[in-house]
Amino acid sequence: MTLTSLPPSQLEPLGWDELPCAACLLSPEAMLLQANSAWRELHPAWARREPGLWLEAVSAADQARLRALLAARADFEFQLSSADAGPDLACRARWLPAREAFACRWSDVTAQRRQAQLAREQSEALALQASQMRLLADHVPALLAFYDAQTYRCHFANRQYAQAFGLDEQSILGRSFTEVIGHDAQLLVQPQVDRLLRERVTVSYERYLPGPDPARSEDGRWVEVSLIPHLVGAGEPQACFVMINDITRHRVAEIAARESEARLQKFMQASVEGILFHRQGRISDANPPLCRLLGYGLDEMVGRAALDFVVDDLREQAARVMAERRELSYESALLHRDGSRIPVELIVRTLEAQGEHLRMTIVRDIRDRLAAQARIQHLAHHDALTGLLNRAAFMEQLGPALQLAESRDRRLALLFIDLDNFKRVNDSLGHLEGDKVLTTVSERITDCLRSTDLVARFGGDEFVILLRDITSREDVMVVLMALLAVVEVPVLADGCRLCVTPSIGVAMFPEHGGRPEELIQHADMAMYQAKAGGRANYQFFDAELARHAYSDLVLESELAQALERGEFELFFQPQVAALGGEQGGALIGAEALLRWRHPTRGLLGPDAFIDVAERHRLMLKLGEWVLRAAALQARDWRERGVAAVPIAVNLSRMQFRLEGFGAAVARVLDEVGIAGECLELELTERMLMDEIASAPATLTALRALGLGVSVDDFGTGYTSLAHLTQLPLDKLKIDQSFVAKLPEDGGAAAITRAIIQMARGLGLHVSAEGVRNSAQRRLLADWGCDELQGELIGPPMAAPDFEQWLQQRRSAFHD
């Protein structure tokens, strides 16, 4: 049939919707002139839009490209990505000049694009995997290779393997086993290869590879070779995987272990300290010094339980160390054959000998050391001249004595004695004769007291007495009369009979004060009142008189003069990281503590003068001096390389309230020439709460200068936790009253642990003050405390002593 013979209905042009594809007619301006239903169904967004807006479903970049192609009025092909998360489309357009339009055929190429993308990703993944495998193989601490089991030719080798035979990863490929390792080595290894092929099992063996110079055995290497068959199913091995490990260090270690055992035996015989070995608690060996120390022969000790030689009351401690297999040093006591007790230091270690674990204990006789420590301890707590308690020891005992008296509803009396005009004795006869007078007076005072009473020399010609279990003032009067009588008795000095008289102030507990410092202060005030009453006198504390006490006026005047004369100085107490040795870790800071080098009363702590300074507004000048002195010390230590750590300064309430305090601190930093990070400011909880309205702004200004801000004596109950989260702080310092009760007091432990957990939750550092023993240190470190400060670490020290302490600590750590 020809076209001319078709029926007229079949000769009519096809309609757009009859086309077997998506098609449309576009103007050069991208206007949709005509489109079939397949085109509208091709993209969901096109069916929802007006014909003139169809292009908005296309991305901006594709719109620009399409418009440029249409404007050219020439045939083109184009692919676009939908802006409405639709399909990826391809368009073939033909320019129809007669119609001034483009006839466009569209097709969905989303699947093709995705397949192409997936293929690229898979190819890249395979390439990455191969690269990773090559990287791994080239960096494992072993030599790796893969050989064909039939041809013995290398199919793979890592860099180390190839380089071991003078090749690289490419040049080694295709070479035979013999070509790679050499004919002589192939003859040695072939039996192992034959076994692998025959038995189809992994074969491992060791070889010694001599160095370039066979005469130098130290250049040789020991290697362990593993030949691993590559089996396909149950058939013959297809290939062999070779893995070579250098085991020279293990062989060297074995030799060193044997030599070490020999040296250890020589050391045991030569050591002056006792050495003991035991297995599971039974003695296996001991050296002659230990046998001599305990009075036994070696044959009498071997086989016996090591605990048999520990004294009964310390045996449980030693058994616990054994059971826990701990390595540590601790003090204990051993039994001599005659039953006497020998104090020792035990240094316990675990050793491995011939695959067996042994416990070694070095036994150090510490009888001489304990005697020396006892002497040092005595000197630390007693006055070197009179043998009486010194100020620190007296104050240390005064606090517990007050607590005990309070718990038992008992009264105490504190007597402060000052010798009248004693300075004239020193000036006229010299200090040696003056010391004789003080010694005689101290003996007379002691003879007047009971064994339960305390007496101390506070310095110079000042003595302090604590009378326990006083029922009335009449009891105190008996002692006062006796003291006045015996002290006034003439003393023979340099052939002269000298008369010294005492002025005695008395403060009663609890009516005249409940705290040690308060009682001392009131007794001191009463003593000055006694001097004002004519000397050789006594005076009980009178609160009414004390308010206008002459001592207060004198102290105020002396404080002002002390600032002018430079009598103040700073002591520094170290702050160390909680994690470290038995005395903490690295130094991370120091707290500056104010001291007054009084010309007659000696070194005074803040408790002796801060109250007066604050009452008479001397605290502002004194506080500025402290801040500047701390800044200068921080600069000096950093410039000399002593310690690049911040120095903490305690702020007074008066300073913190001062308007423009932040600017004053900035001025000090600028004048001294240090950064704010060199200092840390400590405030009490009460100060923060009293100034809660202005505290955030002041603290923000201080921290902007780089200064750290910490809350001192935290836990005393003033801080609102809601406010705590709003204050810009760096650190909380746990009040030492809680630390002092650790670890025995459960309440103190709970509060301390809660403070540490809260601080860490708030992102704050936490420091503990007053750490005095190792048990407290370990407990605080275990709970997550960051910093430690206290007598265990180091007491407050003058700057030269602090530097010496730091040098000794560094030397100890280095050793």
Side-chain angles (χ1 to χ4, degrees), residues 534-555:
R535 305 182 185 278
N537 193 6
Y538 67 87
Q539 176 70 51
F540 282 85
F541 175 73
D542 187 316
E544 184 65 27
L545 292 176
R547 278 195 289 267
H548 306 286
Y550 175 74
S551 60
D552 197 337
L553 296 175
V554 171
L555 186 58

Side-chain angles (χ1 to χ4, degrees), residues 397-410 412 509 514 516 741:
Q397 297 187 43
L398 180 57
L402 298 185
Q403 294 176 1
L404 181 62
E406 183 178 17
S407 66
R408 296 181 177 179
D409 196 22
R410 302 288 178 85
L412 304 175
F509 174 85
K741 299 176 183 178

Side-chain angles (χ1 to χ4, degrees), residues 48-121:
R48 296 193 301 268
R49 297 178 185 272
E50 296 295 328
L53 303 177
W54 73 278
L55 200 56
E56 293 181 1
V58 177
S59 66
D62 285 347
Q63 285 187 41
R65 290 174 51 228
L66 182 58
R67 290 184 184 278
L69 292 170
L70 292 171
R73 288 176 166 79
D75 297 350
F76 65 86
E77 292 186 2
F78 178 74
Q79 289 191 357
L80 60 81
S81 299
S82 171
D84 292 348
D88 295 332
L89 303 176
C91 172
R92 295 188 64 183
R94 176 170 293 178
W95 172 246
L96 304 177
R99 306 192 69 166
E100 285 292 319
F102 286 91
C104 303
R105 185 182 72 183
W106 297 80
S107 58
D108 187 340
V109 294
T110 304
Q112 296 93 313
R113 280 195 173 183
R114 289 178 181 173
Q115 289 176 354
Q117 179 64 24
L118 181 60
R120 286 194 299 272
E121 292 175 352

Side-chain angles (χ1 to χ4, degrees), residues 51-351:
L53 303 177
W54 73 278
L55 200 56
E56 293 181 1
V58 177
S59 66
D62 285 347
Q63 285 187 41
R65 290 174 51 228
L66 182 58
R67 290 184 184 278
L69 292 170
L70 292 171
R73 288 176 166 79
D75 297 350
F76 65 86
E77 292 186 2
F78 178 74
Q79 289 191 357
L80 60 81
S81 299
S82 171
D84 292 348
D88 295 332
L89 303 176
C91 172
R92 295 188 64 183
R94 176 170 293 178
W95 172 246
L96 304 177
R99 306 192 69 166
E100 285 292 319
F102 286 91
C104 303
R105 185 182 72 183
W106 297 80
S107 58
D108 187 340
V109 294
T110 304
Q112 296 93 313
R113 280 195 173 183
R114 289 178 181 173
Q115 289 176 354
Q117 179 64 24
L118 181 60
R120 286 194 299 272
E121 292 175 352
Q122 289 177 341
S123 177
E124 292 172 356
L126 289 174
L128 177 61
Q129 184 178 23
S131 174
Q132 291 172 338
M133 290 302 295
R134 166 57 71 177
L135 180 65
L136 176 63
D138 286 343
H139 289 83
V140 295
L143 280 63
L144 306 176
F146 194 74
Y147 285 90
D148 186 277
Q150 304 300 322
T151 64
Y152 290 177
R153 294 197 175 276
C154 182
H155 289 336
F156 170 84
N158 70 349
R159 183 181 304 152
Q160 298 93 307
Y161 186 94
Q163 291 177 349
F165 298 103
L167 302 168
D168 58 38
E169 301 97 306
Q170 297 301 321
S171 63
I172 196 173
L173 299 181
R175 293 178 182 263
S176 69
F177 186 45
T178 303
E179 291 173 334
V180 173
I181 70 173
H183 180 71
D184 293 341
Q186 183 267 331
L187 293 177
L188 292 173
V189 173
Q190 189 62 46
Q192 309 295 339
V193 176
D194 294 340
R195 182 187 169 199
L196 175 144
L197 296 175
R198 181 177 63 254
E199 300 179 12
R200 305 175 189 175
V201 295
T202 297
V203 177
S204 296
Y205 59 93
E206 294 181 5
R207 285 188 61 203
Y208 176 74
L209 304 179
D213 183 359
R216 290 174 52 85
S217 59
E218 62 271 21
D219 292 341
R221 312 296 293 173
W222 281 93
V223 296
E224 180 184 51
V225 183
S226 294
L227 305 179
I228 306 168
H230 178 206
L231 304 174
V232 178
E236 296 294 327
Q238 301 298 308
C240 174
F241 183 77
V242 181
M243 181 170 62
I244 303 175
N245 289 293
D246 190 331
I247 60 171
T248 304
R249 63 174 182 174
H250 302 298
R251 284 299 182 90
V252 171
E254 291 176 3
I255 296 172
R258 290 193 294 270
E259 293 175 347
S260 176
E261 285 188 25
R263 287 194 301 269
L264 182 58
Q265 286 299 322
K266 293 180 181 179
F267 169 75
M268 285 183 61
Q269 299 301 317
S271 174
V272 297
E273 295 181 329
I275 301 177
L276 172 77
F277 285 93
H278 67 83
R279 294 184 182 89
Q280 299 179 349
R282 293 284 173 181
I283 297 175
S284 60
D285 200 1
N287 70 343
L290 181 61
C291 295
R292 288 192 296 270
L293 180 66
L294 299 180
Y296 290 94
L298 179 61
D299 57 336
E300 296 177 288
M301 297 182 64
V302 173
R304 288 186 59 180
L307 292 176
D308 289 349
F309 298 92
V310 181
V311 296
D312 292 345
D313 54 305
L314 296 176
R315 193 167 294 168
E316 182 179 350
Q317 176 195 29
R320 187 165 57 251
V321 172
M322 283 186 182
E324 296 174 358
R325 303 189 67 82
R326 296 167 61 191
E327 295 196 359
L328 75 166
S329 301
Y330 67 101
E331 292 187 4
S332 185
L334 302 183
L335 280 171
H336 191 272
R337 186 175 195 136
D338 61 12
S340 61
R341 187 185 184 104
I342 305 173
V344 295
E345 179 185 6
L346 302 180
I347 304 171
V348 186
R349 297 292 184 266
T350 299
L351 301 178

Side-chain angles (χ1 to χ4, degrees), residues 232-497:
V232 178
E236 296 294 327
Q238 301 298 308
C240 174
F241 183 77
V242 181
M243 181 170 62
I244 303 175
N245 289 293
D246 190 331
I247 60 171
T248 304
R249 63 174 182 174
H250 302 298
R251 284 299 182 90
V252 171
E254 291 176 3
I255 296 172
R258 290 193 294 270
E259 293 175 347
S260 176
E261 285 188 25
R263 287 194 301 269
L264 182 58
Q265 286 299 322
K266 293 180 181 179
F267 169 75
M268 285 183 61
Q269 299 301 317
S271 174
V272 297
E273 295 181 329
I275 301 177
L276 172 77
F277 285 93
H278 67 83
R279 294 184 182 89
Q280 299 179 349
R282 293 284 173 181
I283 297 175
S284 60
D285 200 1
N287 70 343
L290 181 61
C291 295
R292 288 192 296 270
L293 180 66
L294 299 180
Y296 290 94
L298 179 61
D299 57 336
E300 296 177 288
M301 297 182 64
V302 173
R304 288 186 59 180
L307 292 176
D308 289 349
F309 298 92
V310 181
V311 296
D312 292 345
D313 54 305
L314 296 176
R315 193 167 294 168
E316 182 179 350
Q317 176 195 29
R320 187 165 57 251
V321 172
M322 283 186 182
E324 296 174 358
R325 303 189 67 82
R326 296 167 61 191
E327 295 196 359
L328 75 166
S329 301
Y330 67 101
E331 292 187 4
S332 185
L334 302 183
L335 280 171
H336 191 272
R337 186 175 195 136
D338 61 12
S340 61
R341 187 185 184 104
I342 305 173
V344 295
E345 179 185 6
L346 302 180
I347 304 171
V348 186
R349 297 292 184 266
T350 299
L351 301 178
E352 184 173 342
Q354 298 179 352
E356 181 181 21
H357 288 285
L358 295 177
R359 295 282 278 177
M360 180 184 75
T361 302
I362 297 176
V363 182
R364 183 171 294 163
D365 186 349
I366 60 172
R367 284 175 290 190
D368 291 342
R369 183 209 298 176
L370 292 181
Q373 288 177 348
R375 175 62 180 162
I376 293 171
Q377 184 75 3
H378 178 83
L379 293 175
H381 291 83
H382 293 78
D383 176 51
L385 175 64
T386 64
L388 300 178
L389 292 175
N390 59 22
R391 176 191 293 265
F394 183 86
M395 295 302 295
E396 186 176 333
Q397 297 187 43
L398 180 57
L402 298 185
Q403 294 176 1
L404 181 62
E406 183 178 17
S407 66
R408 296 181 177 179
D409 196 22
R410 302 288 178 85
R411 300 177 70 191
L412 304 175
L414 187 72
L415 282 59
F416 201 110
I417 303 174
D418 183 87
L419 301 182
D420 301 328
N421 297 320
F422 179 74
K423 185 174 183 296
R424 290 188 304 175
V425 176
N426 281 335
D427 292 344
S428 59
L429 301 179
H431 287 280
L432 290 178
E433 297 301 325
D435 288 348
K436 290 181 182 179
V437 173
L438 291 174
T439 303
T440 303
V441 169
S442 68
E443 292 172 352
R444 293 176 179 178
I445 291 174
T446 304
D447 291 340
C448 293
L449 304 176
R450 301 165 297 180
S451 60
T452 56
D453 299 327
L454 292 179
V455 59
R457 182 187 177 205
F458 260 36
D461 59 343
E462 294 179 339
F463 299 86
V464 177
I465 299 171
L466 179 67
L467 302 179
R468 303 177 190 264
D469 296 331
I470 299 301
T471 58
S472 65
R473 285 200 177 193
E474 285 70 20
D475 296 338
V476 182
M477 290 296 299
V478 173
V479 178
L480 288 173
M481 294 301 102
L483 289 171
L484 288 172
V486 300
V487 174
E488 283 184 331
V489 174
V491 178
L492 185 62
D494 195 25
C496 301
R497 297 176 64 83

